[in-house]
Amino acid sequence: MKRLLRLLQWLLKAAVFFTLFAFALNNQQETRVNFFFGTHWAAPTVLVVLCAFGLGVAVGVLGMVPRWWRHRQALRMNASPPTQPTPEPEKPYGT
C-alpha cells in the first residue's frame, strides 16, 4: 500500500513538473515590464512570471515574520521548566 502511495506521489510530481516545463517552453516570447520614470525590463514571459511568484512568496514570508516572532516569544514565556510535586507531610499513624 505504501509503495502504491509513493508511486502516485511521484506520478503527481512528474505531472506537475512536465506541465510547468511545457508552460515554460510555450512562453518564450519577450515580455516588457514597465517601471516608473520610463525604465523597463525585457525578459521571457516565463521568467517574468517566475520572478513575480518569487516576489509574492518573499513578501508573504516577510509579512509573517513579526507574528512568528511574537508566537515564539509567547511560547518561551509560557514554557517553564517542569516542577516536581511537593510531597505531602507524613501523617502520624492512627489519626
Side-chain angles (χ1 to χ4, degrees):
M1 187 67 169
K2 278 188 174 183
R3 288 184 141 191
L4 178 63
L5 287 176
R6 190 172 295 165
L7 177 66
L8 288 174
Q9 285 177 341
W10 275 104
L11 286 174
L12 180 64
K13 289 176 186 178
V16 168
F17 172 77
F18 285 117
T19 301
L20 292 175
F21 188 69
F23 174 77
L25 288 178
N26 288 328
N27 291 293
Q28 292 182 354
Q29 60 269 24
E30 189 105 346
T31 302
R32 182 175 167 167
V33 180
N34 295 313
F35 296 107
F36 298 109
F37 308 114
T39 59
H40 68 275
W41 175 50
T45 304
V46 70
L47 186 60
V48 172
V49 171
L50 182 65
C51 288
F53 175 76
L55 186 63
V57 168
V59 168
V61 167
L62 288 175
M64 287 297 297
V65 166
R67 189 172 290 178
W68 287 336
W69 282 341
R70 276 183 273 161
H71 182 67
R72 284 186 62 168
Q73 283 179 341
L75 285 176
R76 283 186 189 155
M77 292 272 202
N78 292 337
S80 59
T83 58
Q84 295 179 352
T86 55
E88 293 184 20
E90 292 184 24
K91 294 180 182 177
Y93 183 74
T95 56

